[in-house]
Short mmCIF file of all heavy atoms in Angstrom, two decimals:
data_model
loop_
_atom_site.label_atom_id
_atom_site.label_comp_id
_atom_site.label_asym_id
_atom_site.label_seq_id
_atom_site.Cartn_x
_atom_site.Cartn_y
_atom_site.Cartn_z
N HIS A 15 147.29 203.87 128.62
CA HIS A 15 146.94 203.10 129.81
C HIS A 15 147.64 203.76 131.00
O HIS A 15 148.87 203.95 130.95
CB HIS A 15 147.47 201.66 129.72
CG HIS A 15 146.76 200.78 128.72
ND1 HIS A 15 146.98 200.88 127.37
CD2 HIS A 15 145.87 199.77 128.90
CE1 HIS A 15 146.24 199.96 126.75
NE2 HIS A 15 145.56 199.27 127.65
N PHE A 17 148.15 203.42 135.17
CA PHE A 17 147.96 202.58 136.36
C PHE A 17 148.27 203.45 137.56
O PHE A 17 149.34 204.06 137.62
CB PHE A 17 148.87 201.36 136.29
CG PHE A 17 148.56 200.51 135.07
CD1 PHE A 17 149.28 200.67 133.91
CD2 PHE A 17 147.51 199.61 135.10
CE1 PHE A 17 148.97 199.93 132.77
CE2 PHE A 17 147.19 198.85 133.97
CZ PHE A 17 147.91 199.01 132.81
N LYS A 51 150.61 196.19 142.43
CA LYS A 51 151.22 197.06 141.41
C LYS A 51 150.45 198.35 141.20
O LYS A 51 151.03 199.36 140.83
CB LYS A 51 151.38 196.29 140.09
CG LYS A 51 152.56 195.31 140.14
CD LYS A 51 152.71 194.53 138.85
CE LYS A 51 151.91 193.26 138.93
NZ LYS A 51 152.07 192.39 137.76
N ASP A 82 152.47 203.42 136.84
CA ASP A 82 152.93 202.76 135.62
C ASP A 82 152.02 203.25 134.50
O ASP A 82 150.93 203.80 134.76
CB ASP A 82 152.85 201.23 135.77
CG ASP A 82 153.73 200.50 134.75
OD1 ASP A 82 154.40 201.16 133.92
OD2 ASP A 82 153.74 199.25 134.79
N SER A 83 152.47 203.07 133.28
CA SER A 83 151.67 203.57 132.16
C SER A 83 152.13 202.88 130.89
O SER A 83 153.20 202.26 130.87
CB SER A 83 151.86 205.08 132.03
OG SER A 83 153.22 205.36 131.76
N TYR A 84 151.32 203.03 129.86
CA TYR A 84 151.74 202.51 128.56
C TYR A 84 151.15 203.38 127.45
O TYR A 84 149.97 203.73 127.49
CB TYR A 84 151.33 201.03 128.38
CG TYR A 84 152.28 200.38 127.42
CD1 TYR A 84 153.58 200.06 127.82
CD2 TYR A 84 151.93 200.17 126.10
CE1 TYR A 84 154.49 199.53 126.92
CE2 TYR A 84 152.84 199.64 125.20
CZ TYR A 84 154.12 199.32 125.62
OH TYR A 84 155.03 198.82 124.73
N VAL A 85 151.98 203.71 126.49
CA VAL A 85 151.59 204.60 125.38
C VAL A 85 151.62 203.80 124.08
O VAL A 85 152.66 203.23 123.74
CB VAL A 85 152.59 205.78 125.26
CG1 VAL A 85 152.16 206.72 124.13
CG2 VAL A 85 152.72 206.51 126.58
N SER A 86 150.51 203.75 123.39
CA SER A 86 150.48 202.99 122.14
C SER A 86 149.41 203.59 121.23
O SER A 86 148.80 204.61 121.56
CB SER A 86 150.20 201.51 122.44
OG SER A 86 148.96 201.37 123.11
N CYS A 119 142.74 192.31 131.26
CA CYS A 119 144.16 192.26 131.59
C CYS A 119 144.94 193.03 130.54
O CYS A 119 144.49 193.22 129.41
CB CYS A 119 144.69 190.83 131.78
SG CYS A 119 145.01 189.93 130.28
N PHE A 120 146.06 193.54 130.97
CA PHE A 120 146.94 194.31 130.08
C PHE A 120 148.38 193.85 130.29
O PHE A 120 148.78 193.63 131.44
CB PHE A 120 146.86 195.82 130.37
CG PHE A 120 147.93 196.57 129.61
CD1 PHE A 120 147.74 196.90 128.28
CD2 PHE A 120 149.16 196.86 130.20
CE1 PHE A 120 148.75 197.51 127.55
CE2 PHE A 120 150.17 197.48 129.47
CZ PHE A 120 149.96 197.80 128.14
N TYR A 121 149.11 193.72 129.22
CA TYR A 121 150.56 193.52 129.32
C TYR A 121 151.20 193.99 128.03
O TYR A 121 150.59 193.94 126.96
CB TYR A 121 150.93 192.07 129.60
CG TYR A 121 150.30 191.02 128.70
CD1 TYR A 121 151.00 190.49 127.62
CD2 TYR A 121 149.02 190.54 128.94
CE1 TYR A 121 150.44 189.51 126.80
CE2 TYR A 121 148.45 189.57 128.12
CZ TYR A 121 149.16 189.07 127.05
OH TYR A 121 148.59 188.11 126.26
N PRO A 122 152.43 194.47 128.12
CA PRO A 122 153.14 194.84 126.91
C PRO A 122 153.95 193.65 126.39
O PRO A 122 154.32 192.76 127.17
CB PRO A 122 154.07 195.95 127.38
CG PRO A 122 154.35 195.62 128.81
CD PRO A 122 153.17 194.87 129.34
N MET A 123 154.18 193.60 125.10
CA MET A 123 155.01 192.52 124.55
C MET A 123 155.83 192.99 123.36
O MET A 123 155.50 193.97 122.71
CB MET A 123 154.16 191.31 124.16
CG MET A 123 153.32 191.48 122.95
SD MET A 123 152.62 189.90 122.39
CE MET A 123 154.00 189.14 121.57
N SER A 124 156.91 192.26 123.14
CA SER A 124 157.75 192.48 121.95
C SER A 124 157.99 191.15 121.30
O SER A 124 157.80 190.10 121.91
CB SER A 124 159.10 193.09 122.35
OG SER A 124 158.93 194.40 122.84
N LYS A 125 158.45 191.20 120.07
CA LYS A 125 158.90 189.98 119.39
C LYS A 125 160.42 189.91 119.55
O LYS A 125 161.13 190.92 119.38
CB LYS A 125 158.48 190.03 117.92
CG LYS A 125 156.96 189.85 117.73
CD LYS A 125 156.52 188.41 117.96
CE LYS A 125 155.02 188.20 117.98
NZ LYS A 125 154.36 188.44 116.72
N LEU A 162 142.66 193.67 121.99
CA LEU A 162 143.04 194.88 121.27
C LEU A 162 144.56 194.96 121.33
O LEU A 162 145.14 195.08 122.42
CB LEU A 162 142.39 196.11 121.93
CG LEU A 162 142.56 197.39 121.11
CD1 LEU A 162 141.79 197.30 119.80
CD2 LEU A 162 142.08 198.59 121.91
N ILE A 163 145.17 194.84 120.16
CA ILE A 163 146.63 194.90 120.07
C ILE A 163 146.97 196.28 119.55
O ILE A 163 146.55 196.65 118.46
CB ILE A 163 147.15 193.82 119.08
CG1 ILE A 163 146.64 192.43 119.45
CG2 ILE A 163 148.68 193.86 118.99
CD1 ILE A 163 147.08 191.92 120.79
N THR A 164 147.71 197.05 120.34
CA THR A 164 148.01 198.43 119.95
C THR A 164 149.52 198.59 119.81
O THR A 164 150.28 198.08 120.63
CB THR A 164 147.39 199.41 120.97
OG1 THR A 164 147.73 199.01 122.30
CG2 THR A 164 145.87 199.41 120.83
N GLY A 165 149.93 199.27 118.79
CA GLY A 165 151.36 199.34 118.45
C GLY A 165 152.09 200.41 119.24
O GLY A 165 151.55 201.50 119.48
N SER A 166 153.31 200.09 119.66
CA SER A 166 154.06 201.06 120.48
C SER A 166 155.53 201.12 120.14
O SER A 166 156.31 201.70 120.91
CB SER A 166 153.87 200.73 121.96
OG SER A 166 154.18 199.37 122.21
N THR A 167 155.94 200.55 119.00
CA THR A 167 157.36 200.62 118.65
C THR A 167 157.75 202.09 118.52
O THR A 167 157.10 202.85 117.81
CB THR A 167 157.61 199.89 117.31
OG1 THR A 167 157.03 198.59 117.40
CG2 THR A 167 159.11 199.76 117.03
N ASP A 170 156.97 203.36 123.34
CA ASP A 170 157.14 202.89 124.72
C ASP A 170 158.12 201.71 124.71
O ASP A 170 158.68 201.36 123.66
CB ASP A 170 155.77 202.55 125.35
CG ASP A 170 155.76 202.85 126.85
OD1 ASP A 170 156.83 202.67 127.50
OD2 ASP A 170 154.71 203.24 127.39
N ASP A 171 158.31 201.08 125.87
CA ASP A 171 159.44 200.15 126.02
C ASP A 171 159.29 198.85 125.24
O ASP A 171 160.28 198.19 124.95
CB ASP A 171 159.64 199.80 127.50
CG ASP A 171 160.01 201.03 128.32
OD1 ASP A 171 160.35 202.06 127.72
OD2 ASP A 171 159.93 200.95 129.56
N TYR A 172 158.06 198.44 125.00
CA TYR A 172 157.81 197.21 124.23
C TYR A 172 157.23 197.60 122.87
O TYR A 172 157.05 198.78 122.58
CB TYR A 172 156.87 196.29 125.01
CG TYR A 172 157.54 195.63 126.20
CD1 TYR A 172 157.78 196.34 127.37
CD2 TYR A 172 157.95 194.31 126.13
CE1 TYR A 172 158.42 195.75 128.45
CE2 TYR A 172 158.58 193.71 127.22
CZ TYR A 172 158.82 194.43 128.36
OH TYR A 172 159.45 193.83 129.42
N GLU A 173 156.90 196.60 122.06
CA GLU A 173 156.45 196.89 120.70
C GLU A 173 154.93 196.94 120.55
O GLU A 173 154.42 197.57 119.64
CB GLU A 173 157.07 195.87 119.74
CG GLU A 173 158.59 196.05 119.68
CD GLU A 173 159.36 194.85 119.16
OE1 GLU A 173 158.74 193.81 118.87
OE2 GLU A 173 160.60 194.94 119.07
N TRP A 174 154.23 196.26 121.46
CA TRP A 174 152.77 196.30 121.45
C TRP A 174 152.24 196.33 122.88
O TRP A 174 152.88 195.81 123.80
CB TRP A 174 152.16 195.05 120.79
CG TRP A 174 152.40 194.97 119.33
CD1 TRP A 174 151.65 195.55 118.34
CD2 TRP A 174 153.46 194.26 118.66
NE1 TRP A 174 152.21 195.26 117.11
CE2 TRP A 174 153.31 194.47 117.28
CE3 TRP A 174 154.54 193.49 119.10
CZ2 TRP A 174 154.17 193.93 116.33
CZ3 TRP A 174 155.41 192.95 118.16
CH2 TRP A 174 155.22 193.17 116.79
N GLY A 175 151.05 196.90 123.02
CA GLY A 175 150.27 196.72 124.23
C GLY A 175 149.20 195.70 123.91
O GLY A 175 148.59 195.76 122.85
N VAL A 176 149.01 194.75 124.82
CA VAL A 176 147.97 193.73 124.65
C VAL A 176 146.90 194.00 125.70
O VAL A 176 147.18 193.94 126.90
CB VAL A 176 148.55 192.31 124.86
CG1 VAL A 176 147.46 191.25 124.71
CG2 VAL A 176 149.71 192.05 123.91
N THR A 177 145.70 194.34 125.27
CA THR A 177 144.59 194.53 126.21
C THR A 177 143.56 193.46 125.89
O THR A 177 143.10 193.37 124.76
CB THR A 177 143.94 195.92 126.06
OG1 THR A 177 144.96 196.92 126.12
CG2 THR A 177 142.92 196.17 127.15
N LEU A 178 143.25 192.65 126.87
CA LEU A 178 142.26 191.59 126.68
C LEU A 178 141.07 191.84 127.59
O LEU A 178 141.25 192.15 128.78
CB LEU A 178 142.85 190.21 127.01
CG LEU A 178 144.12 189.79 126.25
CD1 LEU A 178 144.60 188.43 126.76
CD2 LEU A 178 143.86 189.72 124.75
N VAL A 190 145.59 183.32 127.27
CA VAL A 190 147.03 183.62 127.28
C VAL A 190 147.83 182.32 127.38
O VAL A 190 148.86 182.16 126.71
CB VAL A 190 147.38 184.62 128.42
CG1 VAL A 190 148.87 184.85 128.50
CG2 VAL A 190 146.66 185.95 128.18
N ARG A 194 150.49 180.71 124.46
CA ARG A 194 151.92 180.43 124.72
C ARG A 194 152.43 179.33 123.80
O ARG A 194 153.62 179.22 123.55
CB ARG A 194 152.12 180.00 126.18
CG ARG A 194 151.87 181.10 127.19
CD ARG A 194 153.06 182.00 127.32
NE ARG A 194 152.67 183.31 127.82
CZ ARG A 194 152.97 183.80 129.00
NH1 ARG A 194 153.71 183.10 129.84
NH2 ARG A 194 152.59 185.00 129.34
N ALA A 203 157.90 185.56 121.56
CA ALA A 203 157.30 186.63 122.37
C ALA A 203 158.07 186.90 123.65
O ALA A 203 158.58 185.98 124.30
CB ALA A 203 155.86 186.27 122.71
N GLU A 204 158.14 188.17 124.00
CA GLU A 204 158.68 188.61 125.29
C GLU A 204 157.65 189.52 125.93
O GLU A 204 157.06 190.34 125.23
CB GLU A 204 160.00 189.36 125.07
CG GLU A 204 161.10 188.38 124.82
CD GLU A 204 162.42 188.99 124.44
OE1 GLU A 204 162.47 190.21 124.25
OE2 GLU A 204 163.37 188.22 124.32
N PHE A 205 157.45 189.35 127.23
CA PHE A 205 156.37 190.06 127.89
C PHE A 205 156.89 190.96 129.00
O PHE A 205 157.91 190.68 129.62
CB PHE A 205 155.38 189.07 128.51
CG PHE A 205 154.79 188.11 127.50
CD1 PHE A 205 155.24 186.80 127.40
CD2 PHE A 205 153.81 188.53 126.64
CE1 PHE A 205 154.71 185.93 126.46
CE2 PHE A 205 153.27 187.66 125.69
CZ PHE A 205 153.71 186.36 125.61
N GLY A 206 156.12 192.02 129.26
CA GLY A 206 156.40 192.89 130.41
C GLY A 206 155.50 192.52 131.56
O GLY A 206 155.07 191.37 131.69
N ALA A 207 155.20 193.51 132.41
CA ALA A 207 154.38 193.26 133.59
C ALA A 207 152.92 193.06 133.20
O ALA A 207 152.44 193.66 132.24
CB ALA A 207 154.49 194.45 134.54
N PHE A 208 152.26 192.20 133.93
CA PHE A 208 150.84 191.92 133.70
C PHE A 208 149.99 192.64 134.76
O PHE A 208 150.33 192.63 135.94
CB PHE A 208 150.55 190.41 133.80
CG PHE A 208 151.01 189.64 132.58
CD1 PHE A 208 152.35 189.52 132.28
CD2 PHE A 208 150.08 189.03 131.76
CE1 PHE A 208 152.77 188.81 131.15
CE2 PHE A 208 150.48 188.31 130.64
CZ PHE A 208 151.82 188.20 130.33
N TYR A 209 148.87 193.18 134.31
CA TYR A 209 147.89 193.79 135.22
C TYR A 209 146.54 193.11 134.95
O TYR A 209 146.19 192.91 133.79
CB TYR A 209 147.73 195.28 134.94
CG TYR A 209 148.94 196.08 135.35
CD1 TYR A 209 150.00 196.29 134.47
CD2 TYR A 209 149.03 196.62 136.64
CE1 TYR A 209 151.12 197.01 134.86
CE2 TYR A 209 150.15 197.34 137.03
CZ TYR A 209 151.18 197.53 136.14
OH TYR A 209 152.29 198.23 136.53
#
Side-chain angles (χ1 to χ4, degrees):
H15 289 76
F17 299 95
K51 283 179 270 184
D82 199 359
S83 62
Y84 207 75
V85 181
S86 59
C119 78
F120 171 81
Y121 51 98
M123 72 169 282
S124 292
K125 289 286 172 67
L162 189 67
I163 306 298
T164 49
S166 52
T167 309
D170 213 325
D171 297 346
Y172 287 77
E173 294 160 358
W174 291 275
V176 179
T177 308
L178 303 177
V190 175
R194 292 278 156 111
E204 282 174 354
F205 302 103
F208 284 67
Y209 290 89

